[in-house]
Amino acid sequence: MSFLTVLVGTAAFAVAAPVAGCLLAGLDRIISARMQGRVGPPLLQPYYDLRKLLEKDDVSVGGVDGLYLTCALVFTAFAGGVFFTGGNLLMSAFLITMAGLFFIVAAYSSRSPFAEVGAARETLQVMAYEPMVLLMAVAFYLAVGTFNVSGVLALDAPAILLTWPVFLGYLFILTIKLRKSPFDLSMSHHAHQELVKGMTTEMSGRTLAKVEVMHWAESVLFLGWTGMFFMWGGWPSLLVGVAVAALAWLLEILIDNNFARVKWQYMLKSAWAVTLVAGGANIAALMFL
């Protein structure tokens, strides 16, 4: 895989992922509303909200949060470009972590007490899910024989047959990465959030629009990681991966609408326990095999 391929994939991801993520966000709102006995907004409501944000003045206390979020968007685009061009899974994971760190710095730069508490909680969320992400990449390498995502196309059977404990652990932390209840601790779209808007309290206009676009792109990438476990032998298996990713996405919506937010201590302990049991045992078994 050449650097030019990654650049082309990054550009394609930067365009396609926000579009797909916007549609997923619209469907999420509709499905959540139906679960709650409401009609819900139109499918393109997230796009309308984004357009309004782009038309508003960008009022910032620190003045540098927009720059940090631009860097976060760039790292997110490169993470998606590396993954969807069949590149190194571990590199993709590191790049998306860098994007998250820039987001945290952007929240801290506002000096708002609500944003700082939200940033501290976001740091705890990274501490909770990152070990599982790294173990997922290691298990993928042990099962496939390479960190390159394109390696799944040479398999005789999907990697899920050897990595199902790691996959279950990944589904657990996927709730954190998709910012769903009960683990939406650092920021929330819901009115009952005790931190007002958490990390984005002081963000507005184009800066807040970048946060939305980044979340849409991240969601597409994380669902891509989900479907990766079910691909093998050729591109037709892509349909299987997409179907599994869709089912995981629906499961996350169901969880989001049926569980109340928990304390950060429970999130951290439970995520590390799942990582130790599912990830540790799976990697030990793969190394033995």
PDB file of all heavy atoms in Angstrom, residues 76-104:
ATOM      1  N   THR A  76      -8.669  12.101  12.313  1.00  0.00           N
ATOM      2  CA  THR A  76      -9.792  11.188  12.094  1.00  0.00           C
ATOM      3  C   THR A  76      -9.866  10.762  10.636  1.00  0.00           C
ATOM      4  O   THR A  76     -10.094   9.581  10.329  1.00  0.00           O
ATOM      5  CB  THR A  76     -11.113  11.862  12.509  1.00  0.00           C
ATOM      6  OG1 THR A  76     -11.052  12.233  13.892  1.00  0.00           O
ATOM      7  CG2 THR A  76     -12.289  10.926  12.295  1.00  0.00           C
ATOM      8  N   ALA A  77      -9.682  11.724   9.729  1.00  0.00           N
ATOM      9  CA  ALA A  77      -9.711  11.407   8.299  1.00  0.00           C
ATOM     10  C   ALA A  77      -8.597  10.436   7.919  1.00  0.00           C
ATOM     11  O   ALA A  77      -8.815   9.480   7.166  1.00  0.00           O
ATOM     12  CB  ALA A  77      -9.607  12.693   7.478  1.00  0.00           C
ATOM     13  N   PHE A  78      -7.394  10.657   8.465  1.00  0.00           N
ATOM     14  CA  PHE A  78      -6.279   9.755   8.162  1.00  0.00           C
ATOM     15  C   PHE A  78      -6.522   8.366   8.750  1.00  0.00           C
ATOM     16  O   PHE A  78      -6.175   7.346   8.127  1.00  0.00           O
ATOM     17  CB  PHE A  78      -4.961  10.328   8.693  1.00  0.00           C
ATOM     18  CG  PHE A  78      -4.239  11.182   7.707  1.00  0.00           C
ATOM     19  CD1 PHE A  78      -4.201  12.564   7.849  1.00  0.00           C
ATOM     20  CD2 PHE A  78      -3.596  10.617   6.615  1.00  0.00           C
ATOM     21  CE1 PHE A  78      -3.541  13.360   6.930  1.00  0.00           C
ATOM     22  CE2 PHE A  78      -2.927  11.409   5.683  1.00  0.00           C
ATOM     23  CZ  PHE A  78      -2.901  12.775   5.838  1.00  0.00           C
ATOM     24  N   ALA A  79      -7.116   8.299   9.944  1.00  0.00           N
ATOM     25  CA  ALA A  79      -7.429   6.996  10.546  1.00  0.00           C
ATOM     26  C   ALA A  79      -8.391   6.214   9.662  1.00  0.00           C
ATOM     27  O   ALA A  79      -8.205   5.012   9.424  1.00  0.00           O
ATOM     28  CB  ALA A  79      -8.018   7.187  11.939  1.00  0.00           C
ATOM     29  N   GLY A  80      -9.414   6.888   9.158  1.00  0.00           N
ATOM     30  CA  GLY A  80     -10.352   6.229   8.261  1.00  0.00           C
ATOM     31  C   GLY A  80      -9.718   5.869   6.937  1.00  0.00           C
ATOM     32  O   GLY A  80      -9.991   4.797   6.381  1.00  0.00           O
ATOM     33  N   GLY A  81      -8.862   6.754   6.421  1.00  0.00           N
ATOM     34  CA  GLY A  81      -8.187   6.477   5.157  1.00  0.00           C
ATOM     35  C   GLY A  81      -7.291   5.262   5.243  1.00  0.00           C
ATOM     36  O   GLY A  81      -7.272   4.416   4.332  1.00  0.00           O
ATOM     37  N   VAL A  82      -6.546   5.147   6.345  1.00  0.00           N
ATOM     38  CA  VAL A  82      -5.659   3.995   6.538  1.00  0.00           C
ATOM     39  C   VAL A  82      -6.471   2.713   6.627  1.00  0.00           C
ATOM     40  O   VAL A  82      -6.130   1.687   6.006  1.00  0.00           O
ATOM     41  CB  VAL A  82      -4.797   4.181   7.807  1.00  0.00           C
ATOM     42  CG1 VAL A  82      -4.079   2.881   8.165  1.00  0.00           C
ATOM     43  CG2 VAL A  82      -3.783   5.297   7.594  1.00  0.00           C
ATOM     44  N   PHE A  83      -7.563   2.735   7.386  1.00  0.00           N
ATOM     45  CA  PHE A  83      -8.344   1.516   7.584  1.00  0.00           C
ATOM     46  C   PHE A  83      -9.052   1.075   6.308  1.00  0.00           C
ATOM     47  O   PHE A  83      -8.951  -0.094   5.899  1.00  0.00           O
ATOM     48  CB  PHE A  83      -9.379   1.735   8.694  1.00  0.00           C
ATOM     49  CG  PHE A  83     -10.309   0.564   8.880  1.00  0.00           C
ATOM     50  CD1 PHE A  83      -9.890  -0.559   9.569  1.00  0.00           C
ATOM     51  CD2 PHE A  83     -11.586   0.586   8.353  1.00  0.00           C
ATOM     52  CE1 PHE A  83     -10.732  -1.646   9.732  1.00  0.00           C
ATOM     53  CE2 PHE A  83     -12.440  -0.497   8.505  1.00  0.00           C
ATOM     54  CZ  PHE A  83     -12.012  -1.613   9.201  1.00  0.00           C
ATOM     55  N   PHE A  84      -9.763   1.973   5.659  1.00  0.00           N
ATOM     56  CA  PHE A  84     -10.594   1.582   4.523  1.00  0.00           C
ATOM     57  C   PHE A  84      -9.794   1.354   3.235  1.00  0.00           C
ATOM     58  O   PHE A  84     -10.359   0.899   2.243  1.00  0.00           O
ATOM     59  CB  PHE A  84     -11.693   2.616   4.291  1.00  0.00           C
ATOM     60  CG  PHE A  84     -12.810   2.521   5.290  1.00  0.00           C
ATOM     61  CD1 PHE A  84     -12.897   3.416   6.346  1.00  0.00           C
ATOM     62  CD2 PHE A  84     -13.762   1.527   5.189  1.00  0.00           C
ATOM     63  CE1 PHE A  84     -13.922   3.321   7.275  1.00  0.00           C
ATOM     64  CE2 PHE A  84     -14.789   1.413   6.109  1.00  0.00           C
ATOM     65  CZ  PHE A  84     -14.864   2.316   7.162  1.00  0.00           C
ATOM     66  N   THR A  85      -8.514   1.662   3.242  1.00  0.00           N
ATOM     67  CA  THR A  85      -7.656   1.272   2.122  1.00  0.00           C
ATOM     68  C   THR A  85      -6.908  -0.022   2.427  1.00  0.00           C
ATOM     69  O   THR A  85      -6.002  -0.407   1.685  1.00  0.00           O
ATOM     70  CB  THR A  85      -6.642   2.385   1.787  1.00  0.00           C
ATOM     71  OG1 THR A  85      -5.895   2.723   2.965  1.00  0.00           O
ATOM     72  CG2 THR A  85      -7.338   3.615   1.238  1.00  0.00           C
ATOM     73  N   GLY A  86      -7.292  -0.690   3.516  1.00  0.00           N
ATOM     74  CA  GLY A  86      -6.685  -1.966   3.862  1.00  0.00           C
ATOM     75  C   GLY A  86      -5.353  -1.838   4.554  1.00  0.00           C
ATOM     76  O   GLY A  86      -4.550  -2.780   4.553  1.00  0.00           O
ATOM     77  N   GLY A  87      -5.101  -0.688   5.177  1.00  0.00           N
ATOM     78  CA  GLY A  87      -3.819  -0.438   5.820  1.00  0.00           C
ATOM     79  C   GLY A  87      -3.710  -1.019   7.210  1.00  0.00           C
ATOM     80  O   GLY A  87      -4.477  -1.900   7.614  1.00  0.00           O
ATOM     81  N   ASN A  88      -2.766  -0.485   7.975  1.00  0.00           N
ATOM     82  CA  ASN A  88      -2.407  -1.005   9.281  1.00  0.00           C
ATOM     83  C   ASN A  88      -3.480  -0.655  10.315  1.00  0.00           C
ATOM     84  O   ASN A  88      -3.748   0.515  10.579  1.00  0.00           O
ATOM     85  CB  ASN A  88      -1.049  -0.421   9.697  1.00  0.00           C
ATOM     86  CG  ASN A  88      -0.464  -1.120  10.902  1.00  0.00           C
ATOM     87  OD1 ASN A  88      -1.015  -1.069  11.987  1.00  0.00           O
ATOM     88  ND2 ASN A  88       0.670  -1.784  10.686  1.00  0.00           N
ATOM     89  N   LEU A  89      -4.080  -1.678  10.914  1.00  0.00           N
ATOM     90  CA  LEU A  89      -5.135  -1.469  11.906  1.00  0.00           C
ATOM     91  C   LEU A  89      -4.600  -0.762  13.141  1.00  0.00           C
ATOM     92  O   LEU A  89      -5.274   0.111  13.709  1.00  0.00           O
ATOM     93  CB  LEU A  89      -5.755  -2.811  12.289  1.00  0.00           C
ATOM     94  CG  LEU A  89      -6.814  -2.782  13.390  1.00  0.00           C
ATOM     95  CD1 LEU A  89      -8.025  -1.968  12.961  1.00  0.00           C
ATOM     96  CD2 LEU A  89      -7.229  -4.206  13.768  1.00  0.00           C
ATOM     97  N   LEU A  90      -3.398  -1.124  13.568  1.00  0.00           N
ATOM     98  CA  LEU A  90      -2.816  -0.506  14.760  1.00  0.00           C
ATOM     99  C   LEU A  90      -2.563   0.981  14.521  1.00  0.00           C
ATOM    100  O   LEU A  90      -2.814   1.811  15.406  1.00  0.00           O
ATOM    101  CB  LEU A  90      -1.516  -1.213  15.127  1.00  0.00           C
ATOM    102  CG  LEU A  90      -0.890  -0.852  16.474  1.00  0.00           C
ATOM    103  CD1 LEU A  90      -1.835  -1.178  17.613  1.00  0.00           C
ATOM    104  CD2 LEU A  90       0.432  -1.589  16.664  1.00  0.00           C
ATOM    105  N   MET A  91      -2.099   1.330  13.323  1.00  0.00           N
ATOM    106  CA  MET A  91      -1.896   2.739  12.986  1.00  0.00           C
ATOM    107  C   MET A  91      -3.216   3.499  12.996  1.00  0.00           C
ATOM    108  O   MET A  91      -3.293   4.632  13.486  1.00  0.00           O
ATOM    109  CB  MET A  91      -1.234   2.854  11.619  1.00  0.00           C
ATOM    110  CG  MET A  91      -1.030   4.290  11.135  1.00  0.00           C
ATOM    111  SD  MET A  91       0.068   5.230  12.220  1.00  0.00           S
ATOM    112  CE  MET A  91       1.641   4.454  11.822  1.00  0.00           C
ATOM    113  N   SER A  92      -4.263   2.882  12.467  1.00  0.00           N
ATOM    114  CA  SER A  92      -5.581   3.512  12.474  1.00  0.00           C
ATOM    115  C   SER A  92      -6.043   3.782  13.902  1.00  0.00           C
ATOM    116  O   SER A  92      -6.592   4.848  14.200  1.00  0.00           O
ATOM    117  CB  SER A  92      -6.590   2.620  11.746  1.00  0.00           C
ATOM    118  OG  SER A  92      -7.881   3.183  11.760  1.00  0.00           O
ATOM    119  N   ALA A  93      -5.805   2.811  14.803  1.00  0.00           N
ATOM    120  CA  ALA A  93      -6.194   2.989  16.200  1.00  0.00           C
ATOM    121  C   ALA A  93      -5.413   4.117  16.860  1.00  0.00           C
ATOM    122  O   ALA A  93      -5.975   4.927  17.614  1.00  0.00           O
ATOM    123  CB  ALA A  93      -5.982   1.682  16.964  1.00  0.00           C
ATOM    124  N   PHE A  94      -4.109   4.210  16.570  1.00  0.00           N
ATOM    125  CA  PHE A  94      -3.301   5.285  17.148  1.00  0.00           C
ATOM    126  C   PHE A  94      -3.740   6.654  16.622  1.00  0.00           C
ATOM    127  O   PHE A  94      -3.778   7.642  17.366  1.00  0.00           O
ATOM    128  CB  PHE A  94      -1.823   5.059  16.833  1.00  0.00           C
ATOM    129  CG  PHE A  94      -1.178   3.999  17.676  1.00  0.00           C
ATOM    130  CD1 PHE A  94      -0.127   3.228  17.190  1.00  0.00           C
ATOM    131  CD2 PHE A  94      -1.614   3.755  18.969  1.00  0.00           C
ATOM    132  CE1 PHE A  94       0.461   2.244  17.967  1.00  0.00           C
ATOM    133  CE2 PHE A  94      -1.033   2.768  19.758  1.00  0.00           C
ATOM    134  CZ  PHE A  94       0.003   2.019  19.257  1.00  0.00           C
ATOM    135  N   LEU A  95      -4.071   6.727  15.349  1.00  0.00           N
ATOM    136  CA  LEU A  95      -4.481   8.003  14.752  1.00  0.00           C
ATOM    137  C   LEU A  95      -5.799   8.491  15.348  1.00  0.00           C
ATOM    138  O   LEU A  95      -5.951   9.683  15.641  1.00  0.00           O
ATOM    139  CB  LEU A  95      -4.613   7.857  13.236  1.00  0.00           C
ATOM    140  CG  LEU A  95      -3.301   7.736  12.460  1.00  0.00           C
ATOM    141  CD1 LEU A  95      -3.568   7.373  11.005  1.00  0.00           C
ATOM    142  CD2 LEU A  95      -2.506   9.038  12.533  1.00  0.00           C
ATOM    143  N   ILE A  96      -6.754   7.585  15.548  1.00  0.00           N
ATOM    144  CA  ILE A  96      -8.035   8.009  16.112  1.00  0.00           C
ATOM    145  C   ILE A  96      -7.872   8.389  17.581  1.00  0.00           C
ATOM    146  O   ILE A  96      -8.602   9.252  18.100  1.00  0.00           O
ATOM    147  CB  ILE A  96      -9.102   6.906  15.934  1.00  0.00           C
ATOM    148  CG1 ILE A  96     -10.511   7.509  16.004  1.00  0.00           C
ATOM    149  CG2 ILE A  96      -8.953   5.810  16.958  1.00  0.00           C
ATOM    150  CD1 ILE A  96     -10.838   8.453  14.905  1.00  0.00           C
ATOM    151  N   THR A  97      -6.894   7.780  18.258  1.00  0.00           N
ATOM    152  CA  THR A  97      -6.606   8.185  19.638  1.00  0.00           C
ATOM    153  C   THR A  97      -6.014   9.588  19.667  1.00  0.00           C
ATOM    154  O   THR A  97      -6.346  10.392  20.556  1.00  0.00           O
ATOM    155  CB  THR A  97      -5.637   7.191  20.291  1.00  0.00           C
ATOM    156  OG1 THR A  97      -6.228   5.890  20.300  1.00  0.00           O
ATOM    157  CG2 THR A  97      -5.318   7.602  21.717  1.00  0.00           C
ATOM    158  N   MET A  98      -5.142   9.899  18.717  1.00  0.00           N
ATOM    159  CA  MET A  98      -4.593  11.255  18.621  1.00  0.00           C
ATOM    160  C   MET A  98      -5.698  12.279  18.395  1.00  0.00           C
ATOM    161  O   MET A  98      -5.676  13.379  18.963  1.00  0.00           O
ATOM    162  CB  MET A  98      -3.572  11.325  17.492  1.00  0.00           C
ATOM    163  CG  MET A  98      -2.238  10.684  17.805  1.00  0.00           C
ATOM    164  SD  MET A  98      -1.397  11.501  19.193  1.00  0.00           S
ATOM    165  CE  MET A  98      -1.208  13.164  18.536  1.00  0.00           C
ATOM    166  N   ALA A  99      -6.678  11.916  17.562  1.00  0.00           N
ATOM    167  CA  ALA A  99      -7.811  12.813  17.341  1.00  0.00           C
ATOM    168  C   ALA A  99      -8.558  13.071  18.650  1.00  0.00           C
ATOM    169  O   ALA A  99      -8.937  14.208  18.958  1.00  0.00           O
ATOM    170  CB  ALA A  99      -8.755  12.212  16.301  1.00  0.00           C
ATOM    171  N   GLY A 100      -8.754  12.014  19.440  1.00  0.00           N
ATOM    172  CA  GLY A 100      -9.423  12.169  20.724  1.00  0.00           C
ATOM    173  C   GLY A 100      -8.649  13.049  21.687  1.00  0.00           C
ATOM    174  O   GLY A 100      -9.229  13.844  22.436  1.00  0.00           O
ATOM    175  N   LEU A 101      -7.326  12.939  21.665  1.00  0.00           N
ATOM    176  CA  LEU A 101      -6.501  13.766  22.544  1.00  0.00           C
ATOM    177  C   LEU A 101      -6.588  15.244  22.158  1.00  0.00           C
ATOM    178  O   LEU A 101      -6.628  16.123  23.030  1.00  0.00           O
ATOM    179  CB  LEU A 101      -5.052  13.286  22.501  1.00  0.00           C
ATOM    180  CG  LEU A 101      -4.798  11.893  23.067  1.00  0.00           C
ATOM    181  CD1 LEU A 101      -3.323  11.526  22.944  1.00  0.00           C
ATOM    182  CD2 LEU A 101      -5.234  11.804  24.522  1.00  0.00           C
ATOM    183  N   PHE A 102      -6.609  15.532  20.860  1.00  0.00           N
ATOM    184  CA  PHE A 102      -6.770  16.923  20.423  1.00  0.00           C
ATOM    185  C   PHE A 102      -8.131  17.471  20.843  1.00  0.00           C
ATOM    186  O   PHE A 102      -8.258  18.649  21.192  1.00  0.00           O
ATOM    187  CB  PHE A 102      -6.597  17.027  18.909  1.00  0.00           C
ATOM    188  CG  PHE A 102      -5.184  17.254  18.473  1.00  0.00           C
ATOM    189  CD1 PHE A 102      -4.433  16.234  17.908  1.00  0.00           C
ATOM    190  CD2 PHE A 102      -4.590  18.504  18.631  1.00  0.00           C
ATOM    191  CE1 PHE A 102      -3.116  16.447  17.511  1.00  0.00           C
ATOM    192  CE2 PHE A 102      -3.286  18.725  18.243  1.00  0.00           C
ATOM    193  CZ  PHE A 102      -2.542  17.694  17.682  1.00  0.00           C
ATOM    194  N   PHE A 103      -9.155  16.625  20.821  1.00  0.00           N
ATOM    195  CA  PHE A 103     -10.485  17.039  21.266  1.00  0.00           C
ATOM    196  C   PHE A 103     -10.464  17.390  22.752  1.00  0.00           C
ATOM    197  O   PHE A 103     -11.064  18.386  23.187  1.00  0.00           O
ATOM    198  CB  PHE A 103     -11.482  15.920  20.974  1.00  0.00           C
ATOM    199  CG  PHE A 103     -12.909  16.276  21.245  1.00  0.00           C
ATOM    200  CD1 PHE A 103     -13.352  17.604  21.233  1.00  0.00           C
ATOM    201  CD2 PHE A 103     -13.843  15.287  21.514  1.00  0.00           C
ATOM    202  CE1 PHE A 103     -14.677  17.929  21.482  1.00  0.00           C
ATOM    203  CE2 PHE A 103     -15.166  15.598  21.766  1.00  0.00           C
ATOM    204  CZ  PHE A 103     -15.577  16.922  21.753  1.00  0.00           C
ATOM    205  N   ILE A 104      -9.762  16.584  23.539  1.00  0.00           N
ATOM    206  CA  ILE A 104      -9.654  16.853  24.969  1.00  0.00           C
ATOM    207  C   ILE A 104      -8.940  18.180  25.225  1.00  0.00           C
ATOM    208  O   ILE A 104      -9.373  18.994  26.055  1.00  0.00           O
ATOM    209  CB  ILE A 104      -8.906  15.691  25.664  1.00  0.00           C
ATOM    210  CG1 ILE A 104      -9.749  14.425  25.631  1.00  0.00           C
ATOM    211  CG2 ILE A 104      -8.556  16.054  27.103  1.00  0.00           C
ATOM    212  CD1 ILE A 104      -9.028  13.184  26.112  1.00  0.00           C
TER     213      ILE A 104
END
